[in-house]
């Protein structure tokens, strides 16, 4: 089963220095029916104005994945650790209790645009505080996984996160590990097909809940960039 959540249905925020779209309840946006999806707690797309920062704050025990789409960011923690990432790179932060984290748009002239996901972390798992990897220009790249296979970022949860980049007309079938997945279109448009013969169209910024399917097939209707989050638990 596929259920679309369009970009227009998502929560919106515009503070001048920060513009955001929230898939699930976040900040001032609250929907009791959308507190997350399995272990996926947050999926935001945010634009920080030149020189803007998100001030230090603490987090629950989650893995925070930042996918930089435009600009250059720096992530810092209260222990003095820091890492930078630019467009075409992803940073994974393993949030720890009692430590605060901040995000900064390094440029004084250009905006910073990025996707951010929070994934519940298993209490007994510990990973490096910061991990970074480059995105490859290929139809499917394993971006994050529980075991860091194929050079992916290592999560503290049983989740597989795929970065998809396809040309118009290309087709990709992805096996799923369990009963739930979430598809997010970043740019472009796509048809999602399942073995149960369901078909849904997504355009830029749209997402889709995928339930009880063993695979999902993506057909790019235009040059496509997307994330597929495989959430078996």
């Amino acid at each position: 089963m596929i259920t679309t959540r369009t970009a227009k249905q998502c929560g919106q925020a515009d503070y001048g220095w920060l513009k955001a779209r929230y898939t699930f309840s976040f900040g001032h946006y609250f929907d009791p029916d959308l507190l997350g999806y399995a272990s996926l707690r947050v999926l935001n797309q945010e634009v920080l104005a030149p020189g803007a920062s998100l001030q230090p704050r603490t987090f629950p025990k989650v893995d925070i994945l930042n996918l930089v789409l435009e600009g250059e960011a720096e992530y810092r923690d209260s222990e003095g650790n820091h890492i930078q990432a630019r467009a075409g790179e992803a940073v994974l932060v393993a949030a720890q209790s009692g430590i605060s984290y901040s995000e900064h748009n390094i440029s004084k002239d250009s905006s910073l645009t990025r996707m951010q996901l929070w994934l519940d972390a298993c209490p007994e798992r510990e990973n490096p505080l910061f991990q970074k990897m480059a995105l490859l220009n290929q139809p499917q790249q394993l971006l994050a996984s529980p075991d860091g296979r194929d050079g992916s970022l290592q999560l503290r949860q049983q989740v597989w996160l795929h970065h998809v980049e396809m040309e118009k007309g290309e087709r990709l079938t992805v096996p799923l590990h369990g009963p739930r997945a979430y598809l997010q279109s970043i740019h472009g448009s796509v048809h999602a097909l399942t073995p149960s013969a369901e078909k849904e169209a997504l355009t830029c910024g749209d997402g889709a809940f995928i339930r009880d399917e063993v695979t999902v097939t993506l057909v790019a209707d235009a040059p496509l960039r997307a994330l597929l989050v495989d959430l078996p638990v």
Side-chain angles (χ1 to χ4, degrees), residues 50 120 201 216:
D120 284 328
V216 61

Side-chain angles (χ1 to χ4, degrees), residues 29-183:
Y29 171 64
F30 178 73
D31 185 329
D33 296 324
L34 287 166
L35 301 178
Y37 184 51
S39 56
L40 178 59
R41 295 273 297 275
V42 167
L43 200 168
N44 299 343
Q45 180 167 325
E46 296 177 315
V47 180
L48 276 70
S53 297
L54 292 171
Q55 296 304 308
R57 58 165 294 187
T58 58
F59 293 85
K61 189 164 185 178
V62 292
D63 285 336
I64 304 169
L65 180 74
N66 295 288
L67 182 69
V68 182
L69 304 178
E70 296 177 351
E72 189 171 5
E74 182 173 68
Y75 301 93
R76 305 173 190 165
D77 69 21
S78 55
E79 301 292 296
N81 302 299
H82 61 91
I83 192 170
Q84 293 184 356
R86 63 183 64 191
E89 294 180 326
V91 166
L92 184 64
V93 180
Q96 307 288 325
S97 62
I99 298 177
S100 59
Y101 301 86
S102 60
E103 180 179 21
H104 309 267
N105 181 357
I106 295 174
S107 174
K108 303 298 182 184
D109 304 308
S110 303
S111 296
L112 167 67
T113 303
R114 58 109 176 97
M115 304 287 298
Q116 184 173 92
L117 294 79
W118 298 9
L119 293 154
D120 284 328
C122 296
E124 67 276 10
R125 291 281 299 274
E126 294 299 340
N127 281 348
L129 298 179
F130 293 110
Q131 301 174 60
K132 184 171 78 169
M133 69 179 296
L135 303 177
L136 304 177
N137 183 18
Q138 60 187 35
Q140 180 186 1
Q141 179 183 7
L142 184 61
L143 185 57
S145 66
D147 55 5
R149 70 179 63 176
D150 300 329
S152 62
L153 304 169
Q154 188 170 10
L155 296 166
R156 296 176 292 176
Q157 181 58 268
Q158 293 295 108
V159 172
W160 289 260
L161 178 60
H162 303 271
H163 179 254
V164 175
E165 197 163 349
M166 299 163 62
E167 296 299 322
K168 181 179 179 180
E170 285 190 316
R171 184 184 185 101
L172 173 68
T173 297
V174 182
L176 301 176
H177 286 81
R180 288 171 289 195
Y182 193 84
L183 174 64

